[in-house]
Amino acid sequence: MCGIFGLILKPGSKYPEDTIEKVLRKIAVLSESRGKDSSGIAFRNTSEHAIHVIKGDIPIRELLKSSVFEGELNKAIVSYEKGNGFAAFGHARLVTNGSQLQEVNNQPVLKGDMIVIHNGIIVNVDELWENHTSLKREYSIDTEIIPALIRDELNQSSDLVSSLNKAFAKLTGTFSVAMMFRDLNQFVLTTNNGSLYYITDNANFILFASEAYFLEQLKQDKSFKEFNSQIDIHQIKPDTGIVISLKSLQINPFSLNKESIEIPKELCPVSFKLEKHLLDNVKSKNEVVIDPSVYINRGEEGHLFSLLEYNIDAVRNLNRCTKCLLPETFPFIEYDHQGVCNYCNNYKPKNQPKGLNELETLVEPYRRKDDKPDCIVPFSGGRDSTYTLHIVKEELGLNPIAFTYDWGMVTDLARRNIARVCGKLGVENIIVSADIRWKRDNIKKNVSAWLKNPALGMIPLFMAGDKYFFYYCNQVKKQTGIDLNIWGINYLENTEFKTGFARLAPKFDKKRIYSLSLENQLKLFGFVGGNILKSPGYINQSVFDSLGSFAARYIAPKKDYYHLFDYYRWDENEINDLISNKYHWETAIDTKSTWRIGDGTASFYNYIYYTVAGFSENDTFRSNQIREGMLDRETALKLCEEDNMPRYETLRWYLQIIGLDFKDVISIVNKIPKLYIK
């Protein structure tokens, strides 16, 4: 979920001062794509017997510009030039739990005699604190439990690896960890999903990062000329780690959860003292990072909860297709003499897969024999992408990397489920993090413009920022050298009405649900342009972001990719059983459905559609299930009415996180003329 990096130099090695600085800065900046919410870095200064930690709620680029960073870096280099070693490691954070506005939640995390940086999420953190009452919890961040457990084990053993194994065996989720000790001359790198790489000459230096691509880029940079650019990049495989001696730079590998060699603690003659330097960004003080499943209480907020409409009686009076659930308010809908809609009459069954054997044959040329990753699986954390990752790893036997694009609307619940799955499968998760504050500000501006002139056809603009998923997936393919990617797009999720409200007639013969003909692309631009004239607020900083998203989704070519559900039958019960029983998925508190629960924006746009038009994407999804013979109409209608109930907790979180007043927004939505009330 974050970027971690570090540089360790052996005492007595002779690297120029400017080389050390340039390499450290370069690897830090490269790591920023993993997270821009906050950052931190630690220097081990042997001359002073001190570890200096700098951190704050600012991107790593800003931290590198600070005078504090300059000062501590220079002091650490002076110590190195006196014959001491050099050790610096840092973190570019994507906030998951624990607000970045509280410095104790930013990394490196200091706990007792340990300094830790952690990429991933520990999902059983609350349970661990409850079960270990002798340990004192001080922060909100999940990372704190790692040094707490390790130090507790170290106090009872002289074997460092045994202590690490016992502590990490208790964790559920994902972790790639770097740790330094005030009282030990050892440095530890370990991971349970393989999101950790390093390069070394086995004599003078070790450089590590969250992605192999960062190290590859660094090797090609002129700042690396003093190092050996021909050396290989090593992955720390899932459930393994290395212990590095800070005196000799000797590397000792070990395995987690298995019998491993004993590595005794190497005590420092003098324990290092800790010094913190805090850097703050006053612009971020209104940032909201708390997950809706944790902090919203309907009882305490009854005055807001009561604002939500659920006009079920009026909606039930709508004329609907006699075969599916689509109502008379659905764009371009027509009924024949039997009351069956044109969407049913033109529907061609889609859940008729070709067979997994055919997909196995197609992916065989991409399969690697050297144990390196050979497939990218776009992984939103939703149920379909989870199932796809499972099939790719467990059934196809490929070695995938899960790719996630976090544009600011991925909830903590989704992140925790991503951690559960990747940790269980031992799959590396590459996350590209947008400038989340900027993205959320874009959403705020577009929602505000929409509220001045509500048009249902403009609602997709709220989600435009997430379409860069396609663009960054291609970037990750290039960076990793992997051609193949397998998507978990579900054809039953086709939401034709979203462009229908923009006056685009349905195309029943389109190949993919995201396909849009040139004619319809032009019509869409005309519709959007007309609405911009009516509400000029749409002309804001997000325009180019939205245009880029449109191009990434509809125009950019897509190659070397397959859709799992072209070859494997989609079955909701089978998928729900897998995510629940094998991966122990966390579900939302405001809906019984497992669909869209990790998407922070879905609750808002579905509330608008249902309140104004009397249906939402839940109706189209259940209607497609009827057409495929998966559900009878009565069952589908009952499920749909449950699915369409307002999701208060997620709605509240969404509006608060983009900085809009819940009461004001919901009041405006409720006043929009209903399409089902004449």
Side-chain angles (χ1 to χ4, degrees), residues 514-534:
Y514 49 78
S515 300
L516 202 62
S517 67
L518 179 59
E519 177 188 1
N520 274 345
Q521 289 178 31
L522 295 174
K523 287 182 179 179
L524 183 60
F525 273 111
F527 176 84
V528 171
N531 277 274
I532 288 175
L533 293 176
K534 295 176 183 177

Side-chain angles (χ1 to χ4, degrees), residues 20 30 46 57 101 173 182 207 238 346 360 384 395 489 556 639:
I20 297 172
L30 286 167
T46 305
D57 62 316
L101 305 185
R182 292 176 59 194
L207 186 67
N346 286 281
E360 287 178 344
D384 292 337
E395 300 293 332
I489 292 175
L639 288 172

